[in-house]
């Protein structure tokens, strides 16, 4: 290739290739580790950003995968350097990992900028890690490849397949209704997470891994490989080899993360029946790449691309089945006529070339576009006087009777209020009520926790009710399901109209018309607004205070205002 970079054009050359006082320090300290000139001279330095941690079960294999990436880098003549980063274990980090997504994004960007790195390998997969890594890498703009952590194996209980999250909610309701025993519940706890890897339903992790691959940042098919499959380490080694060539080819993120690539990613999201969380993350990643993606793009594409992946919570199977069915390459081959196949990817080839020859092997797992698994789309964007800047719903995972609904509001001022009330046998609630949860958005949560799938009141669970209309400014887990309207913008904590809803107010939702309205007069809303006092920021110091001050609303992608600016940052001076 004629435009291959020369060694002295490598970014790391400024640290390692020159002859001055500082470079003496850099090299002598590499020698301290046991490296020699042969390790680095004239070689691309590859930074492996690793979100491994003992407390992140989804990433517990990434220590091993980093070694496999290193093997690939060495095979191709590069110099691998592993850089640990915040792990963001979804189920462990409180109050919510979303509070720290931008922290990891910032850490990724600055790790790459401040070190002598020529190309980046991103190791992640648990919900917020994929968008955070991509946001940081896109802002830095080096050649970058993503190694998805991969889904864990299928869960098992009494011969039934268990899905992460989805079956937790399902069997929790059965337990509350008295249909399963304490011993059953204990066995489910032992059977639902059987190997390392991410949640294996179409939760946020599986959605985001697929989306990042669809954007062109992963090797073809990488996102579908189960973490415990031997294809997974081979994929990691291949990523190590490929990133070295990407550096020589100067194949940077801006050549991959284009507007058509983002549209491809949204189309894949819809076809997968992906997590609603992806909406926030795609908007944020696109902004970092200088591409303007809005809720309107999601709404438009949701009307064009049906759900064809038959995976829970919208469908019936799990990610392991999706892999056996042909994985993301096969799904994208089914979508071929809807995608922009000319987009460049990390392979140095176009998306069209990457999916050439891909076929669906299990047609009930990946349906043809002509026979979708649901007549409803994966995402609906609702607008109205209750959500002037938008709210979202996952119509494919909703009981049909609730897609058009009018009912009285039952309002909870915050999560603790809801938790205190929801099990009361004398709660004044019917299946027609609309549960409303306030103060759960980006500033109010804080961090916009996954509280949007409010539990059905125990009294109603016992009567057999399994779905109700629920509205909040929170998010919900991608493994959740039901008539949950989420991401109401602006949020109640900053005085969005949700703040002024009162128990008994009528709420009207029409998903087909994409509307959400509070049936209260403008005059009454103005009166309530005038009587409202803004609450103080949730944090007075530390990272939380910075978060409170700079976080954007859900419709903007929840990035920090100072990170979302698409302006160049100077390379560090070396003195
Ligand atoms: Fe890590 Fe679900 S908890 S992906």
């Amino acid at each position: 290739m004629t435009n291959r970079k020369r060694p002295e054009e490598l970014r790391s050359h400024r640290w390692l290739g020159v002859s001055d006082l500082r470079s003496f320090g850099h090299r002598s300290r590499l020698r301290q580790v046991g490296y020699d000139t042969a390790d680095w001279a004239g070689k691309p330095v590859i930074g492996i950003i690793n979100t491994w941690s003992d407390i992140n079960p989804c990433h517990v294999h990434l220590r091993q995968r980093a070694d496999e990436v290193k093997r690939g880098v060495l095979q191709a003549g590069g110099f691998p350097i592993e850089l640990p980063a915040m792990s963001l274990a979804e189920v462990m980090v409180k109050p919510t990992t979303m509070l720290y997504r931008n922290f990891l994004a910032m850490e990724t960007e600055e790790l790459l900028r401040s070190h002598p790195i020529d190309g980046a390998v991103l190791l992640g997969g648990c919900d917020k890690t994929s968008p955070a890594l991509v946001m940081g890498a896109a802002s830095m703009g080096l050649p970058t490849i993503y190694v998805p952590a991969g889904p864990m194996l299928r869960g098992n209980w009494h011969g039934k397949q268990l899905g992460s999250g989805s079956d937790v909610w399902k069997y929790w309701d059965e337990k509350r209704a008295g249909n399963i025993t304490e011993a059953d519940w204990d066995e489910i706890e032992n059977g639902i997470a059987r190997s390392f890897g991410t949640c294996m339903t179409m939760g946020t992790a599986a959605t985001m891994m697929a989306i990042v691959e669809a954007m062109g940042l992963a090797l073809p098919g990488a996102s579908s490989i189960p973490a415990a499959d031997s294809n997974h380490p081979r994929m990691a080694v291949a990523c190590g080899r490929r990133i070295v060539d990407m550096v020589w080819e100067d194949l940077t993120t801006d050549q991959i993360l284009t507007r058509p690539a983002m549209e491809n990613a949204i189309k894949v999201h819809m076809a997968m029946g992906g997590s609603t969380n992806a909406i926030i993350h795609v908007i944020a990643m696109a902004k970092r790449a200088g591409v303007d993606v809005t809720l309107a793009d999601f709404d438009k594409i949701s009307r064009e691309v049906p759900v064809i992946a038959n995976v829970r919570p919208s469908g019936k199977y799990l990610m392991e089945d999706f892999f056996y069915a042909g994985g993301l390459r096969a799904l994208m081959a089914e979508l071929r006529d809807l995608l922009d196949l000319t987009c460049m990817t990390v392979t140095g080839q176009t998306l069209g070339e990457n999916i050439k020859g891909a076929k669906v092997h299990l047609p009930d797992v990946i349906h043809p576009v002509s026979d979708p698994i649901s007549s409803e789309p994966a995402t609906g964007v609702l607008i109205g006087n209750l959500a002037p800047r938008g709210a979202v719903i996952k119509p494919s995972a909703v009981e049909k009777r609730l897609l058009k609904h009018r009912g009285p509001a039952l309002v909870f001022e915050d999560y603790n209020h809801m938790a205190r009330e929801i099990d009361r046998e004398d709660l004044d609630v019917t299946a027609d009520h609309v549960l409303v949860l306030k103060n759960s958005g980006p500033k109010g949560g804080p961090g916009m926790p996954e509280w949007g799938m409010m539990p059905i009141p125990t009294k109603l669970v016992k009567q057999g009710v399994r779905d109700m209309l629920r509205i909040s400014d929170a998010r919900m887990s991608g493994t959740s399901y039901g008539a949950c309207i989420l991401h109401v913008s602006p949020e109640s904590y900053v005085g969005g109209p949700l703040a002024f809803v009162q128990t008994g107010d009528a709420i009207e939702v029409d998903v087909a018309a994409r509307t959400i309205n509070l049936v209260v007069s403008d005059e009454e809303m103005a009166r309530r607004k005038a009587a409202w006092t803004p609450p103080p920021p949730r944090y007075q110091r530390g990272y939380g205070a910075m978060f409170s001050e700079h976080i954007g609303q859900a419709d903007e992608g929840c990035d920090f205002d100072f990170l979302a600016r698409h302006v160049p940052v100077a390379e560090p001076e070396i003195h």
Side-chain angles (χ1 to χ4, degrees):
M1 187 179 266
T2 47
N3 58 353
R4 247 175 118 80
K5 255 193 177 157
R6 286 174 294 123
E8 54 279 17
E9 291 171 328
L10 293 173
R11 184 170 178 269
S12 60
H13 184 78
R14 293 176 61 228
W15 276 260
L16 303 175
V18 293
S19 181
D20 61 14
L21 177 67
R22 290 292 169 223
S23 64
F24 168 88
H26 306 147
R27 288 188 300 265
S28 66
R29 290 310 180 122
L30 284 176
R31 292 180 197 281
Q32 181 181 5
V33 185
Y35 293 122
D36 210 337
T37 317
D39 285 298
W40 70 75
K43 296 183 174 182
V45 181
I46 304 302
I48 303 167
I49 306 286
N50 193 356
T51 54
W52 170 88
S53 143
D54 263 338
I55 203 166
N56 191 341
C58 311
H59 292 183
V60 88
H61 56 308
L62 293 186
R63 184 179 254 179
Q64 180 67 30
R65 293 296 175 273
D67 283 345
E68 282 138 3
V69 171
K70 287 179 191 171
R71 184 147 57 90
V73 171
L74 293 169
Q75 286 170 3
F79 180 31
I81 298 285
E82 188 176 345
L83 297 160
M86 194 179 216
S87 186
L88 293 187
E90 185 63 28
V91 293
M92 300 293 180
V93 171
K94 306 299 172 192
T96 163
T97 49
M98 191 61 186
L99 190 69
Y100 297 104
R101 183 200 66 181
N102 298 346
F103 190 115
L104 175 58
M106 204 154 48
E107 187 184 17
T108 302
E109 180 180 349
E110 300 307 327
L111 279 171
L112 296 173
R113 176 171 294 116
S114 59
H115 289 99
I117 302 296
D118 299 302
V121 182
L122 311 175
L123 268 59
C126 190
D127 295 20
K128 312 303 178 295
T129 56
S130 304
L133 290 163
V134 171
M135 287 161 73
S139 290
M140 186 55 202
L142 296 175
T144 298
I145 195 166
Y146 166 70
V147 178
M152 68 174 100
L153 298 177
R154 292 183 285 232
N156 175 62
W157 176 61
H158 290 183
K160 293 191 189 72
Q161 292 187 359
L162 293 178
S164 315
S166 305
D167 279 318
V168 180
W169 325 124
K170 179 174 146 193
Y171 286 107
W172 178 243
D173 281 349
E174 297 309 323
K175 184 170 172 282
R176 287 196 297 152
N179 296 336
I180 64 166
T181 65
E182 206 51 63
D184 291 331
W185 182 241
D186 198 45
E187 285 176 357
I188 291 170
E189 186 173 312
N190 280 307
I192 200 163
R194 295 174 45 237
S195 79
F196 47 80
T198 67
C199 294
M200 70 337 225
T201 39
M202 190 59 73
T204 306
T207 305
M208 293 312 305
M209 291 190 289
I211 278 179
V212 177
E213 179 179 331
M215 286 176 178
L217 279 184
L219 290 182
S223 65
S224 314
I225 306 172
D229 190 300
S230 64
N231 282 286
H232 200 269
R234 286 198 292 277
M235 176 270 292
V237 177
C239 286
R241 281 195 300 268
R242 179 60 199 144
I243 186 65
V244 176
D245 278 332
M246 285 176 70
V247 171
W248 291 127
E249 293 162 15
D250 205 16
L251 180 50
T252 46
T253 51
D254 59 323
Q255 297 165 61
I256 295 172
L257 299 177
T258 58
R259 167 90 201 176
M262 294 296 163
E263 288 181 8
N264 283 344
I266 299 172
K267 287 171 185 168
V268 163
H269 162 73
M270 296 301 168
M272 304 268 284
S275 160
T276 45
N277 285 325
I279 300 168
I280 296 176
H281 299 320
V282 169
I283 291 172
M285 289 188 288
K287 273 208 175 110
R288 294 298 193 98
V291 177
D292 192 26
V293 168
T294 65
L295 286 178
D297 293 308
F298 279 86
D299 193 46
K300 176 171 174 288
I301 293 173
S302 76
R303 295 167 196 263
E304 297 164 357
V305 183
V307 182
I308 60 169
N310 194 3
V311 179
R312 295 182 216 177
S314 292
K316 143 171 162 205
Y317 297 98
L318 295 168
M319 287 308 293
E320 193 177 334
D321 306 293
F322 183 74
F323 176 62
Y324 301 145
L328 190 65
R329 284 182 73 239
L331 178 129
M332 289 201 281
E334 280 300 321
L335 290 183
R336 168 179 294 277
D337 294 343
L338 298 167
L339 297 174
D340 185 331
L341 300 175
T342 65
C343 288
M344 178 48 61
T345 74
V346 289
T347 60
Q349 300 195 302
T350 62
L351 179 67
E353 286 161 325
N354 289 349
I355 64 171
K356 205 174 271 171
K359 283 196 176 55
V360 173
H361 307 303
L362 300 172
D364 194 35
V365 180
I366 302 175
H367 283 212
V369 172
S370 57
D371 177 27
I373 68 140
S374 166
S375 54
E376 297 298 329
T379 296
V381 176
L382 311 179
I383 305 263
N385 69 1
L386 195 47
R389 281 165 52 181
V392 305
I393 187 169
K394 188 172 189 171
S396 57
V398 170
E399 276 188 18
K400 285 206 175 351
R401 68 184 170 88
L402 294 166
L403 290 169
K404 183 167 180 170
H405 185 76
R406 176 182 170 132
L410 174 59
V411 174
F412 303 111
E413 290 302 320
D414 57 29
Y415 187 89
N416 288 330
H417 181 203
M418 186 273 292
R420 279 196 307 274
E421 298 282 304
I422 209 80
D423 291 331
R424 274 181 38 204
E425 291 292 342
D426 62 344
L427 190 65
D428 187 10
V429 64
T430 66
D432 284 338
H433 268 87
V434 180
L435 305 183
V436 173
L437 177 63
K438 299 181 184 175
N439 298 316
S440 304
K443 291 191 191 218
M448 209 181 174
E450 292 185 339
W451 296 339
M453 190 177 93
M454 281 168 262
I456 305 293
T458 302
K459 170 181 160 179
L460 298 178
V461 171
K462 289 181 182 165
Q463 294 168 17
V465 177
R466 291 293 182 271
D467 201 2
M468 284 177 81
L469 201 58
R470 289 158 272 183
I471 301 176
S472 72
D473 43 17
R475 297 173 301 116
M476 78 172 179
S477 162
T479 63
S480 300
Y481 50 84
C484 305
I485 296 173
L486 314 152
H487 310 186
V488 168
S489 299
E491 64 174 306
S492 54
Y493 206 75
V494 300
L498 190 69
F500 315 123
V501 183
Q502 295 178 357
T503 291
D505 288 347
I507 292 179
E508 277 183 345
V509 169
D510 185 343
V511 174
R514 300 289 196 268
T515 55
I516 176 168
N517 286 301
L518 186 66
V519 189
V520 168
S521 69
D522 292 347
E523 298 71 37
E524 173 60 12
M525 283 300 273
R527 195 189 60 72
R528 292 182 192 179
K529 190 171 186 174
W532 182 78
T533 315
R538 292 282 192 192
Y539 294 95
Q540 297 298 331
R541 68 165 297 281
Y543 173 76
M546 185 173 89
F547 182 94
S548 296
E549 203 169 317
H550 295 286
I551 190 71
Q553 290 291 293
D555 63 313
E556 303 164 321
C558 292
D559 204 352
F560 291 155
D561 50 8
F562 62 91
L563 291 176
R565 289 173 205 144
H566 193 65
V567 290
V569 178
E571 281 284 342
E573 294 190 6
I574 300 176
H575 296 306

